[in-house]
Amino acid sequence: MNALRNRVQLIGNLGNEPEVITLDSGKKLAKFSIATNETYRNAKGEKVTDTQWHNVIAWNKTAEIIEKYVQKGNEVIVEGKLTSRSYDTKEGEKRYITEVVCNELLMLGSK
């Protein structure tokens, strides 16, 4: 059961072009967001679509694949783990962010 701990699988569409950075160490980092949609009917019988946005990061080989083949609007499956971190803005405010650290990516198609 240890393999099931902190495991995330999402199917969604990229909301922006991936941002790929090459660090001083030579490692690559890709950052992007994906939208997942859930459709349901409310109490009045109206169709409602709920869109959730997820921040995703990927490292090294996965980041290289994303840089070459993935674009805004593409539908992808992302598998990885959830991480949370904080940082301070230039104004000194503390911000918190939750991200999916992607270790596998499958491209399904494009819009």
Side-chain angles (χ1 to χ4, degrees):
M1 292 299 266
N2 284 339
L4 298 178
R5 294 184 188 195
N6 196 5
R7 182 175 169 196
V8 177
Q9 291 181 324
L10 298 170
I11 300 174
N13 295 87
L14 267 76
N16 56 358
E17 291 295 330
E19 176 187 352
V20 180
I21 303 165
T22 303
L23 303 176
D24 293 339
S25 63
K27 291 183 177 182
K28 285 206 175 196
L29 169 65
K31 298 179 182 181
F32 58 96
S33 61
I34 65 169
T36 57
N37 296 310
E38 178 183 2
T39 305
Y40 61 92
R41 296 212 178 265
N42 64 15
K44 296 179 182 177
E46 301 165 332
K47 187 176 176 182
V48 178
T49 300
D50 179 35
T51 302
Q52 296 290 318
W53 288 93
H54 312 275
N55 295 312
V56 182
I57 63 170
W59 293 93
N60 302 321
K61 278 288 193 195
T62 307
E64 290 175 19
I65 291 168
I66 291 165
E67 182 177 37
K68 288 181 185 175
Y69 302 110
V70 179
Q71 300 173 345
K72 178 181 178 176
N74 287 156
E75 187 176 23
V76 295
I77 299 174
V78 171
E79 183 174 299
K81 66 179 183 175
L82 280 180
T83 60
S84 296
R85 61 183 175 87
S86 63
Y87 64 94
D88 294 321
T89 65
K90 292 178 183 176
E91 294 79 25
E93 297 174 343
K94 193 166 211 71
R95 299 283 171 105
Y96 298 91
I97 187 167
T98 300
E99 301 168 313
V100 176
V101 178
C102 174
N103 55 31
E104 286 192 49
L105 178 109
L106 180 62
M107 295 169 277
L108 297 177
S110 59
K111 279 195 159 187

